[in-house]
Amino acid sequence: MSTEGKVAGVTEWEEAIDGVLRSLRPGEVVTYGEVALEAGRPGAARSVGTFLAGSGGAYPWWRVVSASGRLVPGHEAEQARRLRREGVPVDEACGRVKLPKHR
């Protein structure tokens, strides 16, 4: 098995999450569960959150929300500011974005 292009200490799962997160474009909002599904592990939403929390801001974390559209607890103001700057409407009263019914 070739290890060419692999970063030492990075798992295949982390590489898969990395690929999904790097593909997000400005104004695009996804859930943790959608990232997990696209990365190949349906149901691993918490793992995606853990990955993002430990990434030191290396990824567009503000484009990822809970399944209900809830913003990141403790970072709602910053996340809302970044999303609005990308044209995403944010309901400040409830700290959520409106997600499409069918994704």
Side-chain angles (χ1 to χ4, degrees):
M1 176 159 46
S2 171
T3 58
E4 185 177 326
K6 303 272 185 187
V7 176
V10 177
T11 67
E12 287 184 28
W13 171 234
E14 291 168 331
E15 286 181 2
I17 296 171
D18 172 273
V20 174
L21 295 174
R22 290 194 187 280
S23 74
L24 298 177
R25 299 291 168 241
E28 184 177 4
V29 178
V30 296
T31 68
Y32 295 99
E34 289 170 334
V35 173
L37 179 65
E38 193 170 326
R41 285 197 188 166
R46 286 181 186 234
S47 179
V48 172
T50 299
F51 176 85
L52 275 171
S55 72
Y59 298 94
W61 61 269
W62 61 93
R63 297 180 184 143
V64 186
V65 298
S66 74
S68 66
R70 183 175 178 222
L71 304 182
V72 176
H75 301 279
E76 296 95 341
E78 176 66 13
Q79 189 172 16
R81 183 183 68 74
R82 288 177 182 232
L83 287 171
R84 278 195 311 275
R85 190 171 55 201
E86 292 183 359
V88 177
V90 177
D91 184 339
E92 299 262 356
C94 66
R96 299 180 192 280
V97 296
K98 186 174 182 178
L99 297 169
K101 296 256 187 228
H102 302 286
R103 295 181 68 99

